[in-house]
Amino acid sequence: MLRRLVLTSAASVAALGIGAPTAVAGGPLPPLPLLVPSDSLTITVERSGNPAADGTFKLECRGERATGTHPRAQRACERLTELSEGGQDPFTPVPQGRMCTQQYGGSATARIEGTWHGRPVDAHFARTNGCEIARWENLQPVLPMARA
């Protein structure tokens, strides 16, 4: 998408015969900033056993910069970036039919909605068995530590 935008812009400039713009009084204009995709997520956590961690938080990851109301926004964006290496999806659910230990990790639930790497996200998390507990813990600090 970005490549297409750059190529289209370059072709338009060439077709119009426009050179590098210059300021009227003082030389060339500064370069335009590169477009950096922004990832925006809404994270809702309930019954984590930690009242400060429960609630709805915004997380904006834009290149090296993280913003939003998430209590650990920078580290959360870094973790999602780590989990996304090689095209992996950090929000993938536990595969159907997987054998999981039957342990209960508490009543905590979470939902993550929004956009990550240009793809829509609508992921649900719980701590109902060993696989789901591992999935939750793998996503920390995007999701908080939960108490059983």
Side-chain angles (χ1 to χ4, degrees), residues 42-53:
T42 301
I43 302 158
T44 304
V45 179
E46 296 178 337
R47 297 182 304 278
S48 69
N50 179 357

Side-chain angles (χ1 to χ4, degrees), residues 7 17 30 72 93:
L7 292 174
R72 298 185 65 199

Side-chain angles (χ1 to χ4, degrees), residues 35-122:
L35 296 174
V36 177
S38 179
D39 297 308
S40 178
L41 300 169
T42 301
I43 302 158
T44 304
V45 179
E46 296 178 337
R47 297 182 304 278
S48 69
N50 179 357
D54 289 351
T56 299
F57 306 96
K58 292 293 286 177
L59 180 61
E60 300 277 337
C61 303
R62 187 173 180 93
E64 298 290 321
R65 221 173 108 229
T67 60
T69 58
H70 190 284
R72 298 185 65 199
Q74 186 65 42
R75 182 64 190 115
C77 287
E78 289 169 359
R79 181 65 181 146
L80 286 170
T81 299
E82 289 170 14
L83 293 172
S84 299
E85 288 177 0
Q88 297 297 312
D89 181 359
F91 309 104
T92 300
V94 173
Q96 292 279 347
R98 172 162 288 167
M99 300 280 288
C100 301
T101 60
Q102 295 305 303
Q103 64 190 68
Y104 181 67
S107 60
T109 61
R111 183 173 185 183
I112 301 178
E113 301 173 277
T115 305
W116 182 254
H117 289 190
R119 295 185 202 128
V121 174
D122 187 3

